[in-house]
Each structure stands twice: as structure tokens, then as C-alpha cells.
Amino acid sequence: MRSSIIRSVESTLRRGRSVVSPSGDHLLRRSFTSAAPLPERKVAILGAAGGIGQPLSLLMKLNPLVSKLALYDIAGTPGVAADVSHINTRAEVAGYMTEDQIGEALEGSDVVIIPAGVPRKPGMTRDDLFNINAGIVKNLCTFIAKYCPNALVNMISNPVNSTVPIASEVFKKAGTYDEKKLFGVTTLDVVRARTFYAGKAKVPVADVNVPVVGGHAGITILPLFSQATSASNVSLSADEITALTKRTQDGGTEVVEAKAGKGSATLSMAYAGALFADACLKGLNGVPDVVECTFVQSSVTELPFFASKVRLGKNGVEEVLGLGSLSDFEKQGLESLKPELKSSIEKGIKFAKEN
């Protein structure tokens, strides 16, 4: 059984097809024909030995678009790097530990993914994470500004509604800020919305797409189920849409409670993080029409940062797309989320300026 699985994965990798998802989000999908060599791309993961970092490191090692994979954490990274490096895929893996090695980890990076920080625990909101994770993110972004100022930065560390503004202020202070290259990873909200919608509508999840806008915590997460697309023509009731919206917003809490204090959404977050990083790499490589929802500097609303569909390209953000037509329920949700999202953004900016 084990050998047949390995043969299947190796065969799939050689063909460049996905071994993760049969949907349009092919994590390992080939972006070019075999006649065109893939560009050299270095990806750095900061927080690679943690609950999200380890499975994320594995998934990025499986991605044929990655030629170099740099794994950094304050402890445990050599073991993770050694383990992942034995996988027979393209990426060369190196592990780095402690701040005196972070420069080498970051130099030459095209994409930097930041899952570093403490996880949520039962009864803890994303806001409760702020004081610890804000300092971690600020410190790491200082190094990014110094060693790889042109890299695309994928922020996973929570609370994303605040850590992205913190990163922007750090980069502004360093004179390296480019709003096209800083992303809050909200892909897990999209992944959950697709999964929950497909389950309720009884349609194949591979056929489903649901935009999720706003932010990345509680009521700031607004799935636009009125814009859900699938191969089947399905109409859900208002009560079902309300329930699906609530479940998507509380998806992280659902996992925290199910793990009974022993963890948070690490595996699904790693998967979502790998999907978004893959989209960034495709954009950098010139693949056309790469569109993902992500939390970026935005003029879609009056708020300075907002998650919506974004077209990715060789410079990062090519275009921030509008919200499209909203249902009355979604319009109400949009207005309801703005005060909380505004407060979280301002909290991040204030922290960065005062510390």
C-alpha cells in the first residue's frame, strides 16, 4: 500500500498535476509546458517548526514551483528541515535557527510566509493573541525589510486584521513598503466557505467557489454566498445562508473547541497558506488570471485594508477587484463588520508606531 501511494505521488509530480486537490486550486499544478524551464523561486517560512509551519513546510516542499525552501524558527528547525529535505522533489531545503541566521534564511526570497506566533486556545479571541503576536510580527518584518525588501509577504500570524497593518508600518519606517507585496492570508475562510456550502448544497466541492471579503476574524469574515458558483444550479434558503455564514465566521473556534485546548486550526491553515503561496508564485511566473481573496491595502471600502478578490501578477497585486453585487443580507453584514475591522486595523497601526 505504501509503495503504491509513493509511486502515485511521484508519477503525479512528474506530470505536474495536483496531489492535494482535484479543484481549480491545484497546489501542485504545472504552470508551464515541459519545454519551458521553471524559474528559480525561493520561499522562506518564518515559524517553520510550529503547528502550522511544519505541515506548511511539507506542502511547499511538494510544490514544483519552489526551487529553494528556507525554514526559520527560534527552535526545532534543523530537525524539520532534515525531515522535509529527504522528500524527492525539486526544492532544496535549509533550516535556520536563532536571529543570527535569519538574514541568510531571508536573502533572495521571492515569497516569505509568516505563520510564527502563539496559537489560539479555548476562550481566546484573535484579539487576545495581539500582545504576543504583534511583537513577534514586528520583529520579523524588520528583518524582512533589511534582507528581502522586494519579497511578497504572506501574513498568517493572527490577528491578521492587525498584523498586516503592523507590517505595513514597519516597512514604511524602513522605506521599503510596497502595498502590492503585502498580503493577509484569508484563504482558509474561502476554503471553509467552499467546504460548508458544498456540504449543504450536496454538490461536489471541486466545483464550488465562494468569495470571502472583509477581514479574518469573527464577524469581519463575510462569505458572499450569493456569488457562490458551482456546476449545479443550487438555491439555498435564507436560513441556510445565515447558518453557513455563522459557521464560516466561527470555523476557527469550531476547531479550537474540538481539539479541547490542545491546538487550533493548524492543518487546514497550512493547506490554505500553501494554496495562497502557490497563487503568488504563479503570479510571479506570469501565469494569467490568478485571482484569490486576500487582505490587502484597498480602496474598495473606506477602510485602509480590506479582503476581496485580487488579481495577482509579476509585481504582486495587479488589481484589487470590487465586491460585485451583494444580497441585502451581505450588505448588512458588510456594514456590521466595518467598525470592528476599523478598530483592529487602528490597533495594529498604533502598536507599530508606539513600539
Side-chain angles (χ1 to χ4, degrees), residues 182-257:
L182 176 60
F183 306 89
V185 180
T186 60
T187 312
L188 182 52
D189 302 324
V190 177
V191 167
R192 286 172 173 152
R194 289 172 175 170
T195 301
F196 301 158
Y197 178 91
K200 179 60 68 174
K202 293 180 172 54
V203 296
V205 70
D207 298 334
V208 173
N209 192 17
V210 182
V212 181
V213 304
H216 185 56
I219 67 163
T220 71
I221 300 168
L222 182 61
L224 303 183
F225 287 114
S226 70
Q227 298 179 24
T229 57
S230 71
S232 307
N233 219 350
V234 178
S235 179
L236 299 181
S237 70
D239 287 345
E240 288 173 324
I241 293 297
T242 300
L244 285 177
T245 299
K246 177 67 172 169
R247 189 180 179 197
T248 303
Q249 291 172 338
D250 293 343
T253 301
E254 181 178 318
V255 175
V256 168
E257 292 177 350

Side-chain angles (χ1 to χ4, degrees), residues 90-126:
R90 179 192 183 202
E92 297 177 2
V93 182
Y96 303 91
M97 192 169 65
T98 70
E99 288 188 356
D100 61 340
Q101 297 182 355
I102 195 170
E104 187 179 353
L106 290 172
E107 284 179 342
S109 294
D110 296 287
V111 177
V112 178
I113 313 172
I114 311 179
V118 299
R120 291 176 68 195
K121 297 177 181 178
M124 180 185 286
T125 67
R126 282 185 171 86

Side-chain angles (χ1 to χ4, degrees), residues 30-144:
R30 193 180 211 163
S31 301
F32 297 90
T33 65
S34 57
L38 293 171
E40 297 288 313
R41 296 294 181 193
K42 179 178 177 180
V43 174
I45 300 177
L46 307 184
I52 297 170
Q54 291 199 40
L56 178 59
S57 298
L58 168 64
L59 292 172
M60 296 314 297
K61 179 69 169 83
L62 295 177
N63 191 317
L65 301 183
V66 181
S67 58
K68 292 184 179 180
L69 184 61
L71 307 181
Y72 172 82
D73 213 322
I74 58 173
T77 336
V80 176
D83 195 356
V84 171
S85 72
H86 292 181
I87 297 170
N88 58 322
T89 55
R90 179 192 183 202
E92 297 177 2
V93 182
Y96 303 91
M97 192 169 65
T98 70
E99 288 188 356
D100 61 340
Q101 297 182 355
I102 195 170
E104 187 179 353
L106 290 172
E107 284 179 342
S109 294
D110 296 287
V111 177
V112 178
I113 313 172
I114 311 179
V118 299
R120 291 176 68 195
K121 297 177 181 178
M124 180 185 286
T125 67
R126 282 185 171 86
D127 204 47
D128 293 331
L129 298 176
F130 181 83
N131 287 331
I132 298 173
N133 287 356
I136 293 172
V137 165
K138 183 175 182 292
N139 188 45
L140 293 174
C141 287
T142 301
F143 288 114
I144 291 170

Side-chain angles (χ1 to χ4, degrees), residues 275-305:
L275 285 182
F276 186 73
D278 180 68
C280 287
L281 290 166
K282 287 185 170 69
L284 287 173
N285 290 349
V287 176
D289 298 320
V290 179
V291 176
E292 295 289 339
C293 291
T294 177
F295 187 66
V296 295
Q297 182 173 311
S298 172
S299 59
V300 167
T301 70
E302 65 273 22
L303 300 176
F305 294 91

